[in-house]
Amino acid sequence: MSPRLTALVAAVVAALALAAPASAATLRGTVVHLNHHAHKVVVATKGGRMVAIHSRRTVRVGRVVRVNARRLRNGTFAARSIRVLGTRHRARLRGTVTYVNGHRRLFTLSSRGASVLLHARRARAARAIAADDAMPQSGSQVVVDSDIDDQGDLEAKDIKDEGDDEDGIELEGKVLAVNRDARTLSVSADDDDESGEAVTVDVPGSFDITQFKVGDEVELVVTKQTDGSFLLQKADTDEDDQADDDDTKGDDDADGAGSGDD
C-alpha cells in the first residue's frame, strides 16, 4: 500500500472513531410520558431536560431508567436497551409552553421530539387563586416540578417562568386537519392527543402544504404570533428516523425493579 493510500485510510479510520461515540449515548432519568402513536418514551433527566426516545417497548411513567441509545438526525434517540432501576413519584421538566387551557387547568410543555401534557394544581378550597396557582403563558420557557400519580399523570406543583422562547419553539404532534385554502395546520395540543385539543400552525407560502397529511406525526419549529397561533419555520416527520426504534433487546424491563426516590 502506498504511503498516500495508507495516510488516507488512517484518516478515514480516525474520523470514524471520532464520529462513533458522538452518535451513542447513555441516558438516565425518569419516564414522564409515553407517546403511543410515535412509539416514544420521554425521559426527564435530573436537571429536567426532556429526552424523546424511540422504543417499541413500553415503560411505565414514573420508572427510573438507564437507556443505551443512538442519536438520530432529528435530535431524538433510538433505544438500544432500557434498564429499569426504580420508581419515582416526582420529576422536574424543562421546556416551552405550547398550549394552555385555563378552564381545564391543562398545559403542554414541549421540547425536541416531545409535547407533554401536565395538569396544573388547583386552588385550594375557600380561597382565591393565588399567584402560584396562575397558569403559565404560551411561548414561555418554564421549569416545572411535578408529582406523578398512580395513573401516570403529571401534576405541576411549582412552575418557574424563565422568559419567552425567542430561539424557535419546538413542538411535536399529530396533524388533525389541513386547510390548504387558509394554509393552516391543526396539530394535536400534546403529542399523544390526550387532551383532545389542537393548536393552529400557519404555513408560509415557502412550504409545500401538500406534504402534510392528516394523521402524520410531525416535529415542528414555530414562532408564536400575536393572536396566539404559531408560524411554521421548519418541519420534520418522525418516519425517516424510526428505522431502528425496535432495536431494544436484552434487559428491557417495564416492571421489574425496586422502588425508591433515588
Side-chain angles (χ1 to χ4, degrees), residues 12 62 68 80-81 105 129 139 148 160 177 185 234 240 250 259:
V12 171
N68 292 321
R80 297 185 186 279
S81 67
R105 298 197 63 75
I129 296 178
I148 304 172
K160 180 182 178 183
L185 306 176
K234 182 181 177 182
D240 292 339
S259 62

Side-chain angles (χ1 to χ4, degrees), residues 72-197:
L72 301 175
R73 293 188 302 273
N74 64 357
T76 63
F77 291 83
R80 297 185 186 279
S81 67
I82 302 176
R83 183 172 181 80
V84 176
L85 306 176
T87 302
R88 286 184 63 87
H89 300 289
R90 294 183 295 275
R92 171 169 289 182
L93 297 85
R94 294 177 179 270
T96 301
V97 178
T98 52
Y99 164 78
V100 179
N101 187 318
H103 178 70
R104 296 176 63 190
R105 298 197 63 75
L106 299 174
F107 67 96
T108 298
L109 198 61
S110 296
S111 66
R112 177 69 58 87
S115 289
V116 179
L117 189 69
L118 290 96
H119 300 257
R121 178 177 57 183
R122 293 188 177 275
R124 297 183 181 87
R127 73 169 179 82
I129 296 178
D132 61 353
D133 289 308
M135 297 291 290
Q137 298 297 308
S138 178
S140 61
Q141 299 176 101
V142 299
V143 180
V144 180
D145 288 323
S146 65
D147 287 344
I148 304 172
D149 69 17
D150 293 339
Q151 287 71 47
D153 292 330
L154 302 178
E155 181 182 5
K157 308 299 283 187
D158 183 68
I159 304 171
K160 180 182 178 183
D161 193 318
E162 296 192 322
D164 291 340
D165 189 338
E166 304 289 354
D167 296 327
I169 300 168
E170 296 176 292
L171 62 87
E172 167 96 1
K174 182 169 66 173
V175 177
L176 303 177
V178 180
N179 187 327
R180 295 185 180 180
D181 293 330
R183 297 194 61 82
T184 61
L185 306 176
S186 292
V187 179
S188 59
D190 56 285
D191 59 32
D192 206 34
D193 199 17
E194 181 183 352
S195 66
E197 302 289 344

Side-chain angles (χ1 to χ4, degrees), residues 25-28 43 53 65-69 78-83:
T26 299
L27 307 163
R28 175 172 170 147
V43 173
I53 303 169
V65 295
R66 183 172 64 243
V67 183
N68 292 321
R80 297 185 186 279
S81 67
I82 302 176
R83 183 172 181 80

Side-chain angles (χ1 to χ4, degrees), residues 184-240:
T184 61
L185 306 176
S186 292
V187 179
S188 59
D190 56 285
D191 59 32
D192 206 34
D193 199 17
E194 181 183 352
S195 66
E197 302 289 344
V199 296
T200 299
V201 178
D202 293 324
V203 182
S206 56
F207 288 86
D208 177 8
I209 197 169
T210 63
Q211 71 180 292
F212 301 104
K213 304 291 190 300
V214 172
D216 283 353
E217 298 285 339
V218 292
E219 297 174 358
L220 308 178
V221 178
V222 300
T223 54
K224 184 183 175 184
Q225 302 184 100
T226 55
D227 64 356
S229 65
F230 296 109
L231 180 65
L232 182 63
Q233 303 293 324
K234 182 181 177 182
D236 290 308
T237 60
D238 275 345
E239 284 77 7
D240 292 339

